[in-house]
Amino acid sequence: MTMIINETLRLYGPSNGLARTVAREVQLGKLVLPAKLDILPLNIGLHRDPHLWGDNVHLFKPERFADGIAKATNYTAAAFLPFGLGPRSCVGMTFASIETKIALSMILQRYTITLSPAYVHSPILILTVRPQHGIQVIIEPLHNNF
Ligand code: HEM
């Protein structure tokens, strides 16, 4: 389940960029960033960089996390940051991860979920990443006693 959650956060995590203000002038490759400049580094770009994730970067492949995040990112801390990075990273990360696992476990103990043929894959950015036309699924009870 952790692998599936990580792969979902890599491709479809709700946050797409991390707003930052440059504290002091810094050279970034060919760019000179002056102090007080507001920037928005896009984690969505890092999550979909074939140099970091390989040619199959756009495929949903949870098994890339089979040996943990460090191995999946080739020990590049900034390659996978759905919860941000550094002192201002998400304080709700552990809570959100545990809550997701509990909710999913409770649902999957009782139901099977299949993607509806009506589903159209169209993630869009409206402040956060979300499915443009919703996610239509077919839910069937696993047991008869509900
Ligand atoms: C899947 C769920 C979540 C994701 C993907 C997420 C992602 C993020 C990201 C990307 C940031 C910005 C980090 C940065 O600027 O480096 C952030 C900040 C924050 N998140 Fe979350 N978050 C999630 C759930 C939650 C939950 C459940 C809570 C509270 C219970 C929470 C509370 C916060 C707070 C308070 C901050 C601001 C931290 C600061 O500025 O010091 N988040 N989150």
Side-chain angles (χ1 to χ4, degrees):
M1 191 182 286
T2 303
M3 289 156 52
I4 292 170
I5 293 169
N6 281 339
E7 185 67 338
T8 306
L9 286 171
R10 182 182 74 84
L11 287 173
Y12 308 113
S15 136
N16 50 80
L18 303 171
R20 293 290 187 265
T21 302
V22 177
R24 55 187 168 282
E25 186 178 288
V26 64
Q27 176 112 25
L28 201 64
K30 290 179 187 165
L31 299 175
V32 176
L33 308 187
K36 297 186 181 166
L37 181 74
D38 290 330
I39 57 171
L40 185 67
L42 293 178
N43 54 2
I44 208 168
L46 289 161
H47 289 183
R48 290 170 181 259
D49 184 346
H51 296 108
L52 293 166
W53 299 96
D55 291 339
N56 61 16
V57 64
H58 295 300
L59 297 184
F60 186 84
K61 278 174 66 81
E63 57 271 29
R64 65 176 92 241
F65 287 100
D67 296 317
I69 293 172
K71 251 317 197 6
T73 56
N74 204 13
Y75 302 95
T76 312
F80 181 67
L81 25 86
F83 293 99
L85 193 68
R88 301 308 298 261
S89 65
C90 179
V91 291
M93 179 176 80
T94 307
F95 173 80
S97 303
I98 292 171
E99 188 185 41
T100 305
K101 287 176 192 171
I102 291 173
L104 272 177
S105 304
M106 291 176 76
I107 294 167
L108 295 174
Q109 276 170 24
R110 294 165 174 81
Y111 303 98
T112 59
I113 302 177
T114 325
L115 204 55
S116 160
Y119 172 73
V120 178
H121 188 67
S122 181
I124 52 162
L125 282 178
I126 306 177
L127 200 59
T128 56
V129 178
R130 58 188 74 188
Q132 186 175 9
H133 309 295
I135 302 178
Q136 294 75 34
V137 292
I138 299 161
I139 298 176
E140 287 172 290
L142 277 169
H143 315 288
N144 289 329
N145 52 345
F146 284 105

